Amino acid sequence: MTSNEDVLFQTDAFSPSDYIRDRLKGVKIGDETRKLRQLRSEMSALNHASQETLKNNVFRNYQQFIDASKEISHLEREIYQLTHSLIEQKQVIENLLLMTDDDKNSIHTVSSHSTTTSNTNPIQILMQKMEGIGGILNNMSTSEKVILHGEMEQFDVETKKPVQKCMLILLSHRLIIGNINAAGKFVMESTLSLNSVAPVNVKDRESGAANAGKVLKLLIFPESRCYLCESARIRTLWFDELEQAKREILHKGSLVRQATIRGKRQTVKERKAAAAATVIEEKASFQEEDEDVGDEERNDNDISWLAELPAELDDCIAHRDLDQAVELIHEWKQCPTKDAVIDIQLQMRENTIVQLLSDDVSRPGAVHGGPRAMKKARTLLTQLGRGTYATDVYLRRRSAMQRNAMRDVTVSEEPISYVKQLCTLYGNAVSDIANEFRSMPQYYCQVLQWCSYELSTLLNLIRRHVIEVAPAIAVIAYTWKNVMHTMEDLTVIGVHLNFEVNRLLSAPLEKALQGNFENICDAVKMRISEEKWKPYVLDSESALNRLVEELSDVGINVEWAISANDETKSSLNVSQNVVHFARVAHTLSKDLAPLRLSPIQVLCEVYADELWKMYLQHLADNIRDGAVFAYSTTFILTMVLPVCDKILYGEEGELIRLIDQFPSLAPYADPSDEEKQKDDEEVAHV
């Protein structure tokens, strides 16, 4: 594609049909298909090149995009801090204005244009602007105040056309609405209790893009009204103040009702106590009458409170004030008066609260805050008598967290590292749960069941990714050692699950050990069949020294078997296959030692005995003259066998007793014959 064609493609007047028609001009009949295919290939190449260019531009500008995003985030944070500072300054100014107001120090007024800053009494200003409100404002109690007042334009809800200019005055407990008359003065139209007014927080798109955020919509049963504020800020201010005033009314009403009922209940109890303290004769005559009166008063008060309780619970649920809702549920359950209809409604509210709290614990986003983020919901469920259910939901959520954490652990080529990471995750999770429920013994059964379930998940991962994949005895031994170390740490804090480990890992360990031992036996048998009873000649004296040091590090002394007549000083009077068996036997004993504490203890001992019996039988069947055989047999019986016996059994000495089953090998196991063997070797060389 030429640069002229690139410019042509980028023009606004480009027409694909005209372009193709121009490209097909002059083409011979029958060549149209070939030409179209050629054109499609060119377009595909151009498309591919454009995609590559776009991708390169994205990669090239990616760092700039990241820097711009960081700068935007920084600016947003600074704007938030600036807004917060301005709000604080505004509150300080308003507090100062309240302190300088002599007549009504509790009045806070905000007009539709700005906050009132003059020393003029706002009540006087409002009475001058609107007729018919003098009686309401002059008779306000000390707890009431003017929160907001402002002029707005009312318009029709359906036609969206202006209707008239209005003035709204928000008090602590009511909303006053006034309409303008022919003289240009506002006249009070209605005064509404805030309980019958509900602001709607929704943008009116039908009013146009310019006015969508300025419309204040109020639901006043059975109709709705829309008022156009001067700005979106004024509209938001009215909405927030209306909501806050309604919340304060509900909260104060709830506190007053609860205090009243508690006081009346206390009064009834005091009357009963006073009646019980009277003389027996008076008590017999008047006690029944007092109890009847007290019960009637208590029933009336409780019924009136219970009738309003569902509405209060609905408000708490709507505002997500679940702490207050749970407290009200407790008050209901402790109330001695019962009403079947109201109890059904309250039971439905309680179920709703339980469902909300359960959702808070079980929702996927709950895990991002960690275990402590779910503690509040679990505590509230426990207070509602759903402790077992709350614990079950909480532990299921912790299981999801545990699975996600284990899934993030990479299965590497080092299985021991993988096992350590899994054991660390499991140990930390169980310790956290155990410490969290330490003061709640009634849930120990659930916690122990959860620990057992998570342990089965852990051991299943270890079995699939370690034991079955890399069943070397050393890997198996270290895996068992790490798992048991974790179990010992958990036993210290009271979580004893060793029996579960024995039950779940017994079969996989037995299968893996059996396969390894069969391979070891096959290799030893092959070495036995190739045995020639020749001295072990190494490449150099340094190689011999390295071999001697290697065996000496594991407690096997072989210096006494070095050939004294070898000029190169690089040979041993021990067979090479015997040295190989010494290494295999020592490694096997070292790997089987940790597994003797596992459920396959008997199998480990059986395999160790079988290996040594097989090799001792080989030595007994091949007794012959010669220094190499004598030194090799003595090396096995006096050096290798005791070391392996001590590693595997400690001081018990189980393997050394196998020599008694082969009497023909007894002379070689006597250390006193060592000097005699050396003399025989010197005589043989002479």
Side-chain angles (χ1 to χ4, degrees):
M1 291 295 171
T2 62
S3 59
N4 295 331
E5 290 182 344
D6 292 342
V7 174
L8 177 63
F9 291 150
Q10 297 176 3
T11 57
D12 296 336
F14 174 74
S15 176
S17 57
D18 295 341
Y19 176 76
I20 295 175
R21 190 181 303 109
D22 293 340
R23 291 293 300 268
L24 294 179
K25 283 183 180 179
V27 178
K28 297 180 180 179
I29 299 174
D31 293 341
E32 292 87 350
T33 303
R34 183 183 58 80
K35 189 66 175 179
L36 286 174
R37 290 178 178 175
Q38 180 182 358
L39 181 59
R40 186 179 64 179
S41 302
E42 294 176 357
M43 293 297 103
S44 300
L46 181 60
N47 184 26
H48 181 70
S50 301
Q51 291 179 355
E52 290 294 329
T53 304
L54 180 60
K55 185 187 300 183
N56 294 333
N57 291 336
V58 170
F59 291 153
R60 190 181 305 110
N61 299 327
Y62 180 72
Q63 187 60 39
Q64 298 179 2
F65 170 74
I66 295 298
D67 296 339
S69 300
K70 292 181 179 178
E71 186 66 23
I72 291 172
S73 177
H74 180 68
L75 292 176
E76 288 179 348
R77 186 164 56 252
E78 290 184 347
I79 291 173
Y80 173 76
Q81 294 175 355
L82 178 60
T83 305
H84 185 68
S85 300
L86 292 176
I87 292 175
E88 290 182 349
Q89 293 178 5
K90 177 183 175 182
Q91 292 177 351
V92 171
I93 293 173
E94 292 176 351
N95 292 334
L96 292 175
L97 291 175
L98 293 175
M99 294 173 63
T100 57
D101 195 346
D102 296 331
D103 298 328
K104 285 284 185 176
N105 57 2
S106 64
I107 294 179
H108 169 63
T109 60
V110 179
S111 67
S112 60
H113 300 282
S114 63
T115 303
T116 304
T117 59
S118 64
N119 294 329
T120 307
N121 193 341
I123 294 180
Q124 296 177 359
I125 296 176
L126 293 176
M127 287 190 294
Q128 292 175 3
K129 288 186 176 182
M130 185 181 296
E131 296 179 355
I133 63 172
I136 298 175
L137 298 182
N138 290 328
N139 295 324
M140 286 195 307
S141 63
T142 55
S143 61
E144 290 185 293
K145 61 181 179 180
V146 178
I147 300 177
L148 285 176
H149 63 85
E151 299 178 6
M152 303 180 186
E153 188 173 9
Q154 181 184 1
F155 60 91
D156 189 82
V157 179
E158 296 180 356
T159 62
K160 307 301 178 184
K161 294 181 179 180
V163 177
Q164 59 183 346
K165 195 171 184 180
C166 300
M167 183 174 184
L168 274 64
I169 302 174
L170 177 60
L171 305 182
S172 300
H173 297 81
R174 68 183 68 196
L175 177 66
I176 301 175
I177 301 176
N179 299 331
I180 195 168
N181 57 12
K185 192 171 183 179
F186 291 99
V187 180
M188 185 180 70
E189 174 206 352
S190 59
T191 172
L192 305 171
S193 173
L194 291 184
N195 292 328
S196 62
V197 179
V200 181
N201 188 17
V202 63
K203 290 186 178 181
D204 193 349
R205 304 292 183 184
E206 298 178 359
S207 302
N211 298 330
K214 302 178 183 179
V215 176
L216 176 64
K217 188 173 183 180
L218 301 178
L219 295 180
I220 304 173
F221 186 80
E223 60 180 5
S224 62
R225 297 185 184 182
C226 293
Y227 296 94
L228 182 63
C229 302
E230 291 187 356
S231 64
R233 182 184 66 83
I234 298 298
R235 182 259 178 196
T236 304
L237 182 62
W238 272 94
F239 180 84
D240 293 341
E241 293 295 343
L242 279 168
E243 284 288 323
Q244 183 63 28
K246 289 174 65 65
R247 281 195 293 267
E248 290 181 357
I249 291 173
L250 291 174
H251 183 64
K252 290 180 180 179
S254 176
L255 294 178
V256 170
R257 284 190 293 271
Q258 293 177 21
T260 302
I261 292 174
R262 291 191 184 100
K264 291 182 178 180
R265 290 177 184 171
Q266 188 65 28
T267 302
V268 173
K269 292 180 181 179
E270 291 176 357
R271 289 182 181 179
K272 289 183 177 181
T278 57
V279 187
I280 298 177
E281 292 82 5
E282 295 179 356
K283 179 179 179 181
S285 59
F286 298 106
Q287 184 178 6
E288 296 181 0
E289 181 179 356
D290 290 343
E291 289 181 354
D292 293 340
V293 173
D295 291 340
E296 291 177 0
E297 292 181 0
R298 182 184 61 185
N299 291 337
D300 293 340
N301 294 330
D302 290 347
I303 290 296
S304 62
W305 176 71
L306 290 174
E308 297 177 359
L309 191 56
E312 294 185 17
L313 286 174
D314 289 338
D315 182 70
C316 293
I317 293 172
H319 292 89
R320 301 289 297 182
D321 189 3
L322 299 181
D323 292 333
Q324 180 67 19
V326 172
E327 183 178 351
L328 293 176
I329 291 294
H330 275 297
E331 291 286 339
W332 161 56
K333 291 184 177 180
Q334 294 174 1
C335 180
T337 304
K338 300 296 181 181
D339 184 274
V341 178
I342 298 177
D343 287 349
I344 293 175
Q345 297 178 3
L346 294 177
Q347 186 63 46
M348 293 173 60
R349 268 69 171 185
E350 182 181 2
N351 294 337
T352 303
I353 295 171
V354 170
Q355 184 62 40
L356 291 174
L357 293 173
S358 302
D359 294 341
D360 288 343
V361 177
S362 59
R363 61 186 173 87
V367 300
H368 300 307
R372 302 187 186 279
M374 299 179 275
K375 186 175 182 180
K376 179 180 178 181
R378 184 165 54 87
T379 303
L380 293 177
L381 283 172
T382 304
Q383 293 176 2
L384 290 175
R386 266 77 167 185
T388 304
Y389 171 72
T391 303
D392 183 55
V393 175
Y394 172 68
L395 293 178
R396 286 203 303 268
R397 194 79 297 217
R398 287 301 299 267
S399 295
M401 296 173 59
Q402 188 72 7
R403 286 194 298 272
N404 293 335
M406 288 185 174
R407 194 180 298 116
D408 293 338
V409 178
T410 304
V411 182
S412 61
E413 297 179 357
E414 299 179 359
I416 304 302
S417 175
Y418 176 72
V419 172
K420 286 182 178 179
Q421 295 183 56
L422 290 182
C423 291
T424 301
L425 287 174
Y426 175 75
N428 293 339
V430 173
S431 299
D432 190 14
I433 291 291
N435 293 330
E436 193 170 353
F437 285 88
R438 186 179 299 277
S439 59
M440 294 177 280
Q442 64 272 25
Y443 304 125
Y444 281 179
C445 182
Q446 288 179 271
V447 172
L448 189 61
Q449 184 180 4
W450 179 84
C451 294
S452 177
Y453 173 76
E454 292 303 321
L455 178 62
S456 64
T457 303
L458 168 70
L459 298 181
N460 187 38
L461 290 175
I462 293 176
R463 177 183 58 80
R464 288 192 290 112
H465 298 300
V466 177
I467 297 178
E468 294 180 355
V469 175
I473 298 182
V475 174
I476 297 173
Y478 279 107
T479 299
W480 174 260
K481 189 175 181 180
N482 287 322
V483 172
M484 293 311 298
H485 179 70
T486 303
M487 293 300 104
E488 291 173 1
D489 294 340
L490 296 180
T491 303
V492 174
I493 63 175
V495 182
H496 184 71
L497 293 173
N498 293 359
F499 63 93
E500 279 291 298
V501 178
N502 295 337
R503 181 179 65 85
L504 295 173
L505 280 187
S506 177
L509 290 178
E510 182 177 348
K511 182 178 180 181
L513 183 61
Q514 181 180 0
N516 276 270
F517 183 74
E518 290 176 355
N519 295 334
I520 292 174
C521 288
D522 292 342
V524 171
K525 290 178 180 178
M526 183 177 296
R527 290 275 184 172
I528 289 175
S529 63
E530 297 174 353
E531 183 62 73
K532 302 297 182 181
W533 301 112
K534 294 182 179 180
Y536 185 13
V537 181
L538 286 86
D539 296 337
S540 62
E541 183 179 0
S542 60
L544 177 61
N545 292 334
R546 286 195 298 270
L547 175 63
V548 172
E549 291 178 0
E550 176 189 349
L551 296 176
S552 178
D553 291 340
V554 297
I556 300 176
N557 183 17
V558 75
E559 291 184 3
W560 55 272
I562 297 177
S563 177
N565 298 321
D566 186 7
E567 296 180 357
T568 60
K569 297 181 180 181
S570 60
S571 63
L572 283 175
N573 289 325
V574 177
S575 170
Q576 180 179 359
N577 293 331
V578 170
V579 175
H580 176 267
F581 175 77
R583 289 171 172 168
V584 171
H586 179 269
T587 303
L588 181 64
S589 299
K590 184 177 65 175
D591 293 339
L592 291 180
L595 294 176
R596 287 191 69 241
L597 302 176
S598 68
I600 58 173
Q601 172 189 359
V602 177
L603 191 63
C604 294
E605 296 175 356
V606 168
Y607 285 163
D609 291 351
E610 184 178 344
L611 178 66
W612 276 102
K613 286 180 180 179
M614 178 182 66
Y615 204 79
L616 293 178
Q617 185 66 47
H618 160 64
L619 295 177
D621 294 342
N622 291 275
I623 294 179
R624 63 188 65 195
D625 297 333
V628 174
F629 177 82
Y631 272 88
S632 298
T633 306
T634 303
F635 173 69
I636 290 293
L637 298 180
T638 62
M639 296 296 170
V640 181
L641 183 58
V643 171
C644 295
D645 193 7
K646 187 175 182 180
I647 292 175
L648 188 58
Y649 291 98
E651 301 298 335
E652 299 175 6
E654 295 292 333
L655 292 178
I656 204 70
R657 300 173 185 173
L658 296 177
I659 301 178
D660 298 338
Q661 301 180 18
F662 303 93
S664 59
L665 298 179
Y668 299 95
D670 187 3
S672 61
D673 294 342
E674 180 180 348
E675 185 177 352
K676 181 179 179 181
Q677 293 171 5
K678 290 184 178 179
D679 295 340
D680 293 342
E681 181 189 4
E682 293 177 358
V683 171
H685 281 290
V686 171

